[in-house]
Amino acid sequence: MKKIVVFASGSGSNAERIATYFAENGSAKVCLILCNNPQAGVLARAKRLEIPSLVFDRQAFYKTNVVLDVLATQQPDLIVLAGFLWKVPEALIAAYPNRILNIHPSLLPKYGGKGMYGAHVHQAVVTNGEKESGITIHFVNEHYDEGNILFQAKTEVLPTDTADTLAEKIHLLEYEHFPKVIEEWLKTC
């Protein structure tokens, strides 16, 4: 069975969707959730789903090998960033080349880069009068949101949409597509 490690910083709805998707189909398993926010909702979800979790701080992530050592013990086939807001260190990217996937709530290359996440993205899309938005699933490299794109899905942005209504549409795309794209990628490794 393929092993997935999920990194998350927030509520963890995508992490839970991924974990339940694979628990139901049995082709892979979320074996660990790593989190940089001790108050994040993803930790309660991990506990409820009986998935081990580990919280780390900025020092451990950027200045030590703590996270790399934990990953080495898990030997994941894939690392998934599901609402993880920190830039991934180059040592981690080098250790898992083309094995770290991120999901971004826009159609990259539009509305990507440092500071462009969640509501910030949706507000920018609405403010700029875009006619469509969507999700991008991409490999992680040393630059924010610039890794090779694996998949995109679109949704219409209506003149009546707000950042909140657009966020709802984007979440539906994430929940529908992210686990399936992960599953397809895992078949290739």
Side-chain angles (χ1 to χ4, degrees), residues 156-175:
E156 183 179 11
V157 180
L158 301 173
T160 55
D161 273 323
T162 64
D164 289 339
T165 60
L166 180 56
E168 291 172 14
K169 292 178 181 182
I170 297 300
H171 284 307
L172 291 175
L173 289 176
E174 291 173 344
Y175 301 155

Side-chain angles (χ1 to χ4, degrees), residues 120-178:
H120 301 286
V121 173
H122 307 312
Q123 187 60 58
V125 168
V126 169
T127 299
N128 290 326
E130 296 287 349
K131 302 293 185 215
E132 64 182 10
S133 189
I135 62 168
T136 302
I137 299 170
H138 66 93
F139 290 103
V140 173
N141 67 13
E142 63 276 2
H143 304 288
Y144 281 111
D145 301 324
E146 292 184 15
N148 290 334
I149 293 172
L150 190 59
F151 176 86
Q152 289 185 314
K154 298 176 183 180
T155 187
E156 183 179 11
V157 180
L158 301 173
T160 55
D161 273 323
T162 64
D164 289 339
T165 60
L166 180 56
E168 291 172 14
K169 292 178 181 182
I170 297 300
H171 284 307
L172 291 175
L173 289 176
E174 291 173 344
Y175 301 155
E176 177 184 355
H177 295 288
F178 204 12

Side-chain angles (χ1 to χ4, degrees), residues 2-3 12 19 33 48 53 62 71 73 80 82 84 97 115-117 130 145-146 163 173 187 189:
K2 303 287 184 168
K3 294 169 72 174
I33 294 177
R48 183 171 38 79
S53 62
Y62 291 110
L71 289 170
T73 66
V80 174
F84 184 71
M116 291 304 286
Y117 60 90
E130 296 287 349
D145 301 324
E146 292 184 15
L173 289 176
K187 288 177 183 176
C189 67

Side-chain angles (χ1 to χ4, degrees), residues 40-61:
V42 71
L43 298 171
R45 291 178 194 259
K47 185 175 183 176
R48 183 171 38 79
L49 295 167
E50 299 179 350
I51 299 170
S53 62
L54 175 71
V55 177
F56 57 88
D57 61 17
R58 191 170 290 278
Q59 171 74 20
F61 195 51

Side-chain angles (χ1 to χ4, degrees), residues 19-35:
T20 56
Y21 179 89
F22 287 107
E24 289 168 4
N25 82 13
S27 64
K29 178 181 180 178
V30 174
C31 60
L32 179 66
I33 294 177
L34 295 173
C35 183

